[in-house]
């Protein structure tokens, strides 16, 4: 049998001496007096500080650790542990400031919202950083300073918040690309941004911005900068002597800063490559080579001996014409005779740099080289050089004009050692080959040079090969000479029949015969039991 106990027991209708009515006090929730919405909220949710502290906000409930109004003691219906307060409120905990630095947007600016002063990335800064992303190699101090100056120039009051955050995050992600000078520039920006944040400002004042840019401009080697500023004032092209003087002026100070000096000259050369003469490029390359050698040994400045070697190389570079020297170095790499076409190509390459030296230093380079290599010059090559001397004498020390240069090269083109372009191109592959010419090498050249179906395999193509072989016979191996004899046999047979070409069937038969010469001979081996 189940007995139900009513949940609501009616109060007795009659007051007796042993009955009384207990009235429970009514507890109304405490309504906090919240302050009005603050004005002047900055981007990212940062409130302007009030004397370095944020206004006190009353807790919406009774303060943690406080007590509700006193209630009469009433035993708990169940045997639960008793507490001194009706609810186990936690002990009072200190409330953290919403931003680092005791109420200010601290440094560095946090990158994510929640727990710190967060500001959105600034668009103008992101545009400049996008330009840096498109560059290759290390980011220099000058590049970083320019990016910061352009990215904060819009005067939107975000140079110490959104703009700074964009640069700070990019620098952290790309730390491996930053040169020491670029890191110094970023440190200067961080210093001025932190000062503005400490004052509760999101931007950097115009006066501080100018100071910051002036401080950034001093990063790097000042001697190198002064020397390069003088090069900026010189007309184009910058000669090798101009570059040598600038390097000696900008690097001679013992400031243990060779790396910064090399970086300064290299960066300047990248921006002004079109102004540099070949000699200036060679001088700069020599400086980088000797500086790298010194730094590899742990030296931060060039030693006296290293300086002496560098100046000696400068004198060698500036005593000749670099463009002509580079062109003649290619002829040195070829073996055998120098054709008229070879000399013409070298003159075109060595004289066409419009540096005004075509009738002076460049001409001397070719004349000196020809005297040292007169045994290698074909009659056509000598005629080409004589044509150059004739036009140079007529032009005078001012150099050849473009019209005179075009007229000269046209006249030079008449003196050809080879009359068939395909055969000439094929034989040039043999000119650059080191050592003996094998049967396989010569067969491949004949197949390429005479196999173009122009009907000249027994005409000018055969004549060009004979001319080349006469000048390079000592380079032909025994098997290659047999290949030459096979070509002569088929070509003379065609010429005797009045044809300048070799029939395709005969040409293929000739190639098979040449290939057998280059193939090893396998003799049968008999094993006797």
């Amino acid at each position: 049998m189940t007995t139900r106990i009513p949940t609501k027991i009616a109060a007795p209708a009659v007051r007796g001496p042993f009955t009384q009515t207990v009235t429970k006090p009514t507890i109304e929730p405490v309504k906090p007096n919240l302050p009005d919405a603050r004005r002047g909220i900055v981007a990212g949710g940062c409130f302007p500080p009030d004397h370095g502290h944020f206004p006190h906000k009353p807790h919406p409930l009774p303060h943690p650790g406080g007590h509700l109004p006193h209630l009469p003691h009433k035993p708990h219906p169940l045997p639960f542990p008793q507490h001194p307060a009706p609810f186990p409120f936690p002990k009072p905990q200190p409330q953290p400031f919403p931003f680092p630095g005791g109420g200010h947007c601290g440094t560095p600016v946090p990158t994510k919202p929640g727990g710190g002063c967060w500001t959105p990335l600034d668009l103008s800064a992101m545009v400049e950083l996008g330009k840096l992303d498109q560059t290759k190699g290390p980011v220099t101090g000058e590049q970083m300073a320019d990016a910061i100056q352009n990215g904060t120039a819009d005067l939107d009051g975000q140079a110490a918040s959104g703009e700074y955050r964009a640069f700070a995050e990019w620098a952290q992600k790309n730390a491996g690309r930053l040169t020491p000078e670029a890191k110094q520039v970023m440190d200067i920006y961080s210093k001025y941004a932190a000062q503005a944040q400490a004052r509760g400002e999101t931007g950097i004042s115009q006066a501080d911005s100018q100071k910051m840019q002036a401080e950034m401009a001093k990063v790097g080697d000042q001697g190198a900068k002064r020397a390069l500023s003088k090069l900026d004032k010189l007309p184009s092209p910058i000669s090798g002597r101009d570059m040598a003087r600038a390097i000696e002026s900008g690097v001679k100070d013992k400031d243990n800063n060779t790396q910064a000096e090399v970086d300064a000259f290299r960066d300047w050369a990248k921006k002004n490559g079109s102004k540099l003469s070949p000699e200036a490029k060679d001088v700069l390359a020599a400086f980088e080579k000797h500086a790298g050698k010194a730094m590899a040994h742990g030296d931060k400045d060039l030693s006296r001996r290293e300086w002496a070697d560098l100046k000696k190389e400068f004198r060698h570079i500036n005593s000749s014409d670099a463009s002509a020297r580079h062109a003649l170095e290619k002829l040195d790499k070829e073996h055998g005779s120098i054709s008229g076409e070879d000399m013409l190509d070298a003159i075109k390459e060595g004289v066409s740099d419009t540096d005004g030296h075509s009738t002076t230093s460049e001409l001397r380079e070719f004349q000196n080289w020809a005297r040292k290599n007169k045994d290698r010059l074909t009659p056509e090559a000598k005629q080409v050089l004589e044509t150059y001397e004739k036009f140079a004498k007529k032009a005078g020390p001012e150099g050849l004009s473009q019209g005179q240069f075009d007229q000269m090269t046209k006249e030079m083109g008449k003196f050809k050692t080879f009359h068939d372009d395909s055969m000439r191109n094929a034989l040039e592959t043999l000119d650059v080959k080191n050592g003996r010419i094998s049967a396989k090498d010569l067969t491949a050249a004949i197949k390429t040079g005479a196999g173009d179906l122009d009907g000249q395999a027994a005409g000018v193509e055969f004549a060009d090969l004979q001319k080349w072989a006469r000048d390079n016979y000592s380079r032909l191996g025994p098997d290659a000479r047999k290949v030459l004899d096979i070509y002569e046999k088929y070509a003379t047979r065609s010429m005797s029949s009045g044809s300048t070409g070799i029939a395709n069937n005969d040409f293929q038969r000739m190639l098979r015969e040449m290939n057998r010469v280059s193939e090893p001979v396998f003799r049968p081996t008999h094993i006797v039991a």
Side-chain angles (χ1 to χ4, degrees):
M1 180 175 180
T2 303
T3 304
R4 295 188 177 183
I5 300 175
T7 59
K8 296 182 180 181
I9 302 177
V14 180
R15 291 183 187 272
F18 300 98
T19 61
Q20 60 181 357
T21 302
V22 179
T23 304
K24 293 184 178 181
T26 302
I27 303 175
E28 296 183 0
V30 179
K31 297 182 180 180
N33 296 323
L34 296 177
D36 295 335
R38 294 292 303 272
R39 295 184 179 180
I41 297 179
V42 298
C46 298
F47 290 83
D50 293 335
H51 308 290
H53 300 284
F54 285 87
H56 174 70
K57 294 183 179 180
H59 201 280
L61 296 177
H63 193 281
H67 300 282
L68 293 172
H70 178 72
L71 297 176
H73 178 70
K74 183 177 181 181
H76 202 281
L78 296 177
F80 286 149
Q82 301 297 313
H83 299 279
F87 299 100
F89 282 98
K91 293 181 178 181
Q93 299 292 330
Q95 300 298 314
F97 286 106
F99 309 121
H104 295 290
C105 300
T107 304
V109 177
T111 60
K112 293 182 180 179
C117 175
W118 179 84
T119 54
L121 298 176
D122 186 85
L123 179 59
S124 60
M126 296 299 293
V127 170
E128 295 302 318
L129 292 171
K131 296 177 182 178
L132 291 182
D133 285 329
Q134 295 175 2
T135 62
K136 296 181 180 179
V139 176
T140 65
E142 188 175 356
Q143 287 176 307
M144 180 60 74
D146 289 343
I148 292 173
Q149 182 177 354
N150 296 332
T152 60
D154 52 5
L155 303 178
D156 59 354
Q158 295 296 310
S161 52
E163 292 167 350
Y164 173 71
R165 179 194 160 202
F167 280 98
E169 290 185 4
W170 188 92
Q172 185 176 5
K173 293 177 183 177
N174 296 272
R177 292 187 60 198
L178 300 183
T179 62
E181 293 76 24
K183 293 178 181 179
Q184 291 179 36
V185 167
M186 194 63 212
D187 289 342
I188 293 171
Y189 186 16
S190 298
K191 179 182 71 174
Y192 279 87
Q195 292 174 357
Q197 292 169 3
R199 296 191 296 268
E201 300 170 356
T202 61
I204 298 176
S205 67
Q206 190 68 19
D208 284 346
S209 179
Q210 293 175 355
K211 292 179 182 178
M212 179 180 72
Q213 292 172 14
E215 196 170 335
M216 290 177 177
K218 295 180 181 178
V219 173
D221 189 86
Q222 298 304 307
K225 288 185 176 181
R226 286 192 296 270
L228 291 170
S229 65
K230 294 179 180 179
L231 286 183
D232 286 330
K233 300 175 183 178
L234 296 179
S236 180
I238 303 298
S239 69
R241 290 181 175 83
D242 294 332
M243 181 60 73
R245 281 193 293 267
I247 291 174
E248 291 181 28
S249 173
V251 183
K252 64 183 179 182
D253 51 347
K254 297 291 183 179
D255 56 359
N256 294 327
N257 209 14
T258 297
Q259 182 62 65
E261 292 162 349
V262 171
D263 292 341
F265 276 91
R266 185 188 293 124
D267 296 339
W268 187 91
K270 287 181 181 178
K271 296 179 180 179
N272 298 274
S274 60
K275 294 178 61 177
L276 299 180
S277 67
E279 293 81 13
K281 294 178 181 178
D282 287 349
V283 165
L284 183 58
F287 170 50
E288 292 181 6
K289 179 184 71 175
H290 285 270
K293 183 179 177 181
M295 289 186 290
H297 293 153
D299 298 330
K300 295 183 179 179
D301 270 319
L302 293 179
S303 64
R304 182 177 299 178
R305 181 174 181 179
E306 201 69 47
W307 257 117
D309 292 341
L310 179 58
K311 289 182 178 180
K312 182 178 179 181
E313 191 164 351
F314 284 171
R315 287 192 296 270
H316 173 70
I317 293 171
N318 291 319
S319 65
S320 60
D321 188 271
S323 59
R325 186 174 67 252
H326 293 164
L328 292 169
E329 284 174 354
K330 294 182 180 179
L331 293 184
D332 287 331
K333 294 177 181 179
E334 294 186 8
H335 301 280
S337 59
I338 303 300
S339 67
E341 293 87 340
D342 294 333
M343 183 60 74
L344 174 57
D345 290 342
I347 291 174
K348 284 182 178 179
E349 181 179 350
V351 181
S352 60
D353 55 1
T354 65
D355 59 356
H357 299 158
S358 58
T359 60
T360 53
S361 58
E362 291 169 346
L363 176 61
R364 285 195 298 271
E365 286 291 322
F366 279 93
Q367 290 172 328
N368 293 337
W369 188 91
R371 279 194 292 270
K372 295 177 183 178
N373 297 273
K374 60 182 179 181
D375 294 337
R376 296 181 59 196
L377 299 180
T378 61
E380 294 80 14
K382 293 177 181 178
Q383 289 175 308
V384 168
L385 184 57
E386 290 170 359
T387 304
Y388 180 18
E389 292 172 337
K390 180 182 68 175
F391 276 83
K393 184 178 180 180
K394 186 184 299 184
E398 292 79 12
L400 295 168
S401 66
Q402 187 61 45
Q404 290 171 324
F405 180 79
D406 294 339
Q407 185 180 357
M408 178 185 73
T409 54
K410 182 178 180 181
E411 187 170 333
M412 288 176 176
K414 300 176 182 178
F415 307 111
K416 290 185 177 181
T417 301
F418 301 103
H419 298 278
D420 186 87
D421 291 337
S422 61
M423 180 58 75
R424 173 182 173 247
N425 293 334
L427 294 173
E428 283 183 345
T429 62
L430 301 180
D431 286 336
V432 297
K433 180 177 173 58
N434 294 322
R436 288 292 186 93
I437 304 297
S438 67
K440 186 176 181 180
D441 296 330
L442 188 56
T443 300
I446 292 172
K447 181 180 179 181
T448 302
D452 54 0
L453 303 178
D454 61 353
Q456 292 297 324
V460 293
E461 290 169 347
F462 177 61
D464 286 346
L465 180 65
Q466 282 187 313
K467 187 181 296 184
W468 181 89
R470 188 166 52 247
D471 294 333
N472 295 272
Y473 196 75
S474 61
R475 297 181 62 212
L476 299 180
D479 292 341
R481 295 176 184 181
K482 292 180 182 179
V483 168
L484 185 62
D485 293 339
I486 293 172
Y487 188 15
E488 185 176 1
K489 178 180 68 174
Y490 279 86
T492 54
R493 185 185 301 170
S494 295
M495 286 188 290
S496 64
S497 63
S499 175
T500 58
I502 300 176
N504 189 52
N505 291 338
D506 290 339
F507 189 79
Q508 298 301 324
R509 191 180 297 113
M510 177 185 74
L511 292 178
R512 287 194 295 269
E513 192 173 339
M514 291 176 177
N515 288 328
R516 283 195 294 271
V517 171
S518 60
E519 292 175 356
V521 178
F522 296 98
R523 299 183 182 277
T525 304
H526 299 281
I527 301 176
V528 179

